[in-house]
Amino acid sequence: MARILYVLGVLLVVLACAEIVPLLSDLLSGNPDWMVFAVSGVLTLFLGIAMVLANANHPERLTIREAYLLTALAWFILPVFGAAPFFFSREGIGITDAVFESVSGLTTTGSTVLTGLDTFPPGLLLWRSMLQWSGGIGIIVMGIAILPLLRVGGMQLMKTEASDTSDKVLPRAKEIATGIGSAYAALTFVCALAYGFAGMGSFDAINHAMTTMATGGFSTHDDSFGYFNEPILPWVAMIFMILGALPFVLYLKAVSRGPMRLLNNAQVRFFLLFCVAVIAVLTLWVWRTMPLSLFEAFSQSAFNAISIVTTTGYTNADYTLWGSASVVFLIITFAGGCSGSTAGSVKIFRYQLMLSFLKSQANRLIHPHGVFPVTYDKREVPSEIVLSVTAFLALYLVSWFGLSVALAFTGLGFQTSVSAAAAALTNVGPGLGPIVGPGGNFSSLSDVAKWMLAGGMLLGRLELFVLFVMVTPRFWREL
Amino acid sequence: MARILYVLGVLLVVLACAEIVPLLSDLLSGNPDWMVFAVSGVLTLFLGIAMVLANANHPERLTIREAYLLTALAWFILPVFGAAPFFFSREGIGITDAVFESVSGLTTTGSTVLTGLDTFPPGLLLWRSMLQWSGGIGIIVMGIAILPLLRVGGMQLMKTEASDTSDKVLPRAKEIATGIGSAYAALTFVCALAYGFAGMGSFDAINHAMTTMATGGFSTHDDSFGYFNEPILPWVAMIFMILGALPFVLYLKAVSRGPMRLLNNAQVRFFLLFCVAVIAVLTLWVWRTMPLSLFEAFSQSAFNAISIVTTTGYTNADYTLWGSASVVFLIITFAGGCSGSTAGSVKIFRYQLMLSFLKSQANRLIHPHGVFPVTYDKREVPSEIVLSVTAFLALYLVSWFGLSVALAFTGLGFQTSVSAAAAALTNVGPGLGPIVGPGGNFSSLSDVAKWMLAGGMLLGRLELFVLFVMVTPRFWREL
């Protein structure tokens, strides 16, 4: 346990240090809210340092079970401390709402229970965006370094890809982490500049750049992207949402080998083609059924579809009002970006694997004695990984259904329960309908529903199995 | 092909002969509608005999591909000829509605596009019930004899069960078929008697007995079971709906070894426990949220839940009005009865297998080098069957999502599209909402939507893969 507590302590110290940014922001704008961050920061820092010092004599290595425990604990403890500034603020945010907002931030979900964002103190807005931004880098690192080790949901397939020795680009873990961190920071910086050039104020540009690259979707305005009138802004957002949903390892390869490396990846190609197909279908549909010009139909379809597919969750139109098209939005909620990105949800490589699997199964039905291997990126995939992915998908369904029923129990209607459960589990953010849809706000939900949804976000973010493994008796029996 | 055409011809002759029953029924009640059956019957008989005679010199054995083709063709051709009496009748039923009703009947789905059933000629009502009844026996035979051979969706697991040599009850295929046919007929007869004793008129009793044992759900009244006031009737229906959803092979064993053989089966036990759990949850929920007494809440929950879980589809309350509880009804739509019964949907044994699979996967995450076999009924299941079941579930989801989107495209709302797609694919019958829900009628849907739903019913009934295999190029290339 010492090693676990040590690492958690380090994470808390980092979180505490991060609170200096919103503190300064409030202080410089003459806003007394800086005290909120001073108090939260000192509390967090104190506990973090205590944990680090008390466990300085930790063993070097973690067992597999300890790795599970550390991963799960980090995702439970950080949101609690991340919630402190909301709770201590003068905006009258209760403990449930504070934790919900913090979980939604760190998991890069982007559902919000806060209203009146436009008049919020800048520090608190910045804190929300920073939670998403740091959640984003945490997710990339977890996806590249931890989940493949834990062999969760077929992520071991990605292990071979990230540590692909034949490529030998930045072979060591530390260098990869530094490289990816730099790529993440650089892209965020470029994104903020682009937003600024496209007409956003600098504060909005910085906040939105952080939540765009994290594919999180928190905005500094109640109307999300609908607040901005500049027609070019959604297009800038689309580019960077997609960049946030591609495997970050590829950016390192792109730097050393040229940008074509990006398109030379099976997952990226499939993801982009999928986006094009969804946008084409939606555009034609919306154009035919709504009083919009073809270009309006295209730009609104493209922005909202990319926002959902990348699990960002910005919106600039209430697509729940697009009638039947809303079914498409529920379904693409389950798409997700590429693995090794900041995106949530099921993720594209699992669908590619399932397609190859279904094809091989169909062939085996015709030729009982034929051999039809499942392939990914032209390489044969061991059946162990196929089973791992199918188990993941099955558990995803069970979780979705379970969460839907639980939400319905709290008194929510059909569309709201089903879509809110999906939006939380996939870390997308907006669901369907007047309450949890693009035009709604999660604030009117009951406290019980909010805790359920926050639990769903964590469950989805931990790729289900990290949590489910921990509720098996075997996990604890032999710890 | 000769063998395929021969068998199809035999099936058409059987269908034609069956038309004598409604013909006599109309004739005896002095109804001129008997001519409808005379015309349809003679047409069908003529074609059937022609096909039998022309292909009398057929080879003895079918290849695997021919078995697929025969199964699929039978389920496409029989509904067309089954639709003839509807189309030729004086009720003004168009070709779309006639085929929809026939497909819904033979697949034992039970969705109807006909209104004013209470004033329909008796022959046509009887024909609807007979379509379901013969569909029911066809499904049992397909489930026991054909699908395990084709190794579709893990059904090969059931092969070992039905031909379990250690038991040696009725070992030969012909005897099993005769035994099961007798059990089916006997149970239907007992069911009709029970309905009669419980207060139904004899015509209603016979019709409902046929559609109950077939877990089909066609009724002779627009209000389905809501038409009857006798409080005992739903309880009678519940017993026989459950009997229709148990593996029919077990009835043969129960006859020779005593009724405890039924409970001595892993699938049956799990199915019954599942029913109890669902009813308990629903009862408490409905009791708490609706102005009903505990007993009313219990009896309405029990009847409608069992009706959906067994994929029958009778209703006596519009549970869409039960608010959030309707989510539960959508989810249990995917349960299905036991394999080797007349029930549709996913079926219980697949969930049992998936549960064991998920447990084994979770264990493997903790112990990377441990061996945790997937088991069913305490026996180890080869991973080939696990893969087969997961492929089935994946394809089920894809089909559901695809059909939902396609229905939404025709202009239907979210709840209607999603639930109608589920109700068709699972052969349950009623969906949710005012149009396709328990209080609605499929007649107001567009023709396109009706064809899509009929396609969905066939797809579900053919356990998806029988159809999907046939659209692969490989299937045709090497035929």
Side-chain angles (χ1 to χ4, degrees), chain B residues 443-464:
Chain B
S443 57
S444 68
L445 296 181
S446 69
D447 278 2
V448 179
K450 285 175 189 166
W451 284 105
M452 284 178 183
L453 286 171
M457 294 173 200
L458 287 173
L459 184 61
R461 199 30 109 187
L462 288 165
E463 306 258 325
L464 314 184

Side-chain angles (χ1 to χ4, degrees), chain B residues 199-284:
Chain B
M200 260 190 205
S202 59
F203 183 73
D204 279 352
I206 291 169
N207 278 288
H208 282 93
M210 288 200 272
T211 60
T212 303
M213 285 313 300
T215 62
F218 271 159
S219 173
T220 48
H221 302 283
D222 285 347
D223 289 340
S224 185
F225 252 70
Y227 171 87
F228 302 103
N229 290 318
E230 293 77 4
I232 189 81
L233 271 178
W235 299 97
V236 176
M238 281 185 237
I239 294 171
F240 287 96
M241 285 192 283
I242 286 181
L243 288 176
L246 300 186
F248 273 73
V249 172
L250 287 186
Y251 295 133
L252 307 184
K253 294 188 183 168
V255 166
S256 59
R257 309 254 177 125
M260 286 314 290
R261 285 298 298 191
L262 279 173
L263 289 179
N264 204 1
N265 178 283
Q267 196 176 199
V268 171
R269 277 201 308 271
F270 194 90
F271 173 69
L272 295 178
L273 280 177
F274 177 76
C275 289
V276 169
V278 168
I279 293 168
V281 169
L282 268 178
T283 301
L284 287 175

Side-chain angles (χ1 to χ4, degrees), chain B residues 92-301:
Chain B
I93 303 169
I95 185 76
T96 303
D97 283 1
V99 170
F100 181 95
E101 199 75 6
S102 178
V103 170
S104 175
L106 278 168
T107 58
T108 75
T109 305
S111 305
T112 184
V113 286
L114 303 180
T115 48
L117 291 174
D118 305 70
T119 60
F120 258 50
L124 221 47
L125 291 176
L126 205 52
W127 184 239
R128 287 171 84 237
S129 310
M130 287 178 64
L131 283 178
Q132 288 210 321
W133 195 74
S134 41
I137 188 74
I139 289 153
I140 301 175
V141 169
M142 185 171 74
I144 293 176
I146 301 176
L147 293 179
L149 259 179
L150 300 186
R151 299 167 308 122
V152 166
M155 288 295 277
Q156 56 270 47
L157 187 66
M158 294 300 135
K159 187 163 85 183
T160 46
E161 191 162 86
S163 60
D164 190 347
T165 46
S166 66
D167 267 22
K168 278 192 188 137
V169 178
L170 297 177
R172 272 165 298 163
K174 215 167 192 172
E175 281 181 40
I176 288 185
T178 318
I180 283 174
S182 313
Y184 188 59
L187 282 170
T188 311
F189 182 69
V190 176
C191 180
L193 284 182
Y195 277 143
F197 278 118
M200 260 190 205
S202 59
F203 183 73
D204 279 352
I206 291 169
N207 278 288
H208 282 93
M210 288 200 272
T211 60
T212 303
M213 285 313 300
T215 62
F218 271 159
S219 173
T220 48
H221 302 283
D222 285 347
D223 289 340
S224 185
F225 252 70
Y227 171 87
F228 302 103
N229 290 318
E230 293 77 4
I232 189 81
L233 271 178
W235 299 97
V236 176
M238 281 185 237
I239 294 171
F240 287 96
M241 285 192 283
I242 286 181
L243 288 176
L246 300 186
F248 273 73
V249 172
L250 287 186
Y251 295 133
L252 307 184
K253 294 188 183 168
V255 166
S256 59
R257 309 254 177 125
M260 286 314 290
R261 285 298 298 191
L262 279 173
L263 289 179
N264 204 1
N265 178 283
Q267 196 176 199
V268 171
R269 277 201 308 271
F270 194 90
F271 173 69
L272 295 178
L273 280 177
F274 177 76
C275 289
V276 169
V278 168
I279 293 168
V281 169
L282 268 178
T283 301
L284 287 175
W285 193 344
V286 170
W287 180 51
R288 224 195 52 180
T289 56
M290 303 285 292
L292 295 171
S293 74
L294 183 58
F295 180 74
E296 284 168 341
F298 172 58
S299 65
Q300 290 194 16
S301 298

